[in-house]
Amino acid sequence: PRHIESYKVIFSGQYAPFFWIGQVLIVVVIPLLIFTFKGKSALAVGVASSLIVLGFIFVRLNIVVPAGIVPEFAGLRTAYVDPHLSFEYFPSLMEWLLELWILSVGMFIFLFGQRRLKLFETHESH
């Protein structure tokens, strides 16, 4: 079936590092090791949770991009040829900067809410 080609791109093709390093190592193995050996300290939970949230980017990348790389039917690559059309994809600088901006806005909203709502107690010594 055609969808097997998408799996080949994910598991052993050009997007394999996003799956094996991004999804498996960063999202599963490292947080599991952190929770196993560091327990439930606030720093350990924060780092592991951040890695898991970062993993959503890798999951979305592996769902969306390989499906667009592999043509849906035979002959699609040659049906219409133009220098601007390509089945290869890698995010542009603008796309990386947009992702960075979205993450920074999210962090800003969290920090703003944390300061206004006093969600976490801070222990300051004077």
Side-chain angles (χ1 to χ4, degrees):
R2 292 248 178 237
H3 68 277
I4 298 299
E5 293 300 318
S6 294
Y7 294 138
K8 287 180 182 176
V9 170
I10 294 170
F11 296 131
S12 61
Q14 67 190 54
Y15 285 88
F18 292 108
F19 177 76
W20 294 111
I21 296 171
Q23 276 186 255
V24 176
L25 184 67
I26 293 176
V27 177
V28 177
V29 175
I30 294 175
L32 183 64
L33 291 173
I34 289 173
F35 285 133
T36 301
F37 295 110
K38 294 295 182 183
K40 294 182 181 180
S41 73
L43 179 62
V45 171
V47 169
S49 300
S50 298
L51 290 174
I52 292 169
V53 169
L54 176 69
F56 282 103
I57 297 169
F58 294 113
V59 172
R60 298 299 179 258
L61 184 71
N62 281 328
I63 289 173
V64 173
V65 175
I69 290 175
V70 177
E72 285 294 317
F73 55 89
L76 181 61
R77 288 185 186 265
T78 57
Y80 183 77
V81 179
D82 186 82
H84 294 96
L85 298 176
S86 173
F87 282 97
E88 288 75 34
Y89 171 77
F90 190 79
S92 67
L93 177 63
M94 180 62 82
E95 292 167 322
W96 285 113
L97 291 174
L98 178 65
E99 183 66 30
L100 183 64
W101 181 80
I102 291 169
L103 289 172
S104 64
V105 168
M107 286 183 205
F108 173 76
I109 291 170
F110 172 79
L111 291 173
F112 181 77
Q114 188 270 333
R115 288 188 181 201
R116 289 287 185 184
L117 300 174
K118 308 271 192 247
L119 297 175
F120 305 104
E121 289 186 28
T122 57
H123 300 286
E124 297 177 13
S125 58
H126 295 319

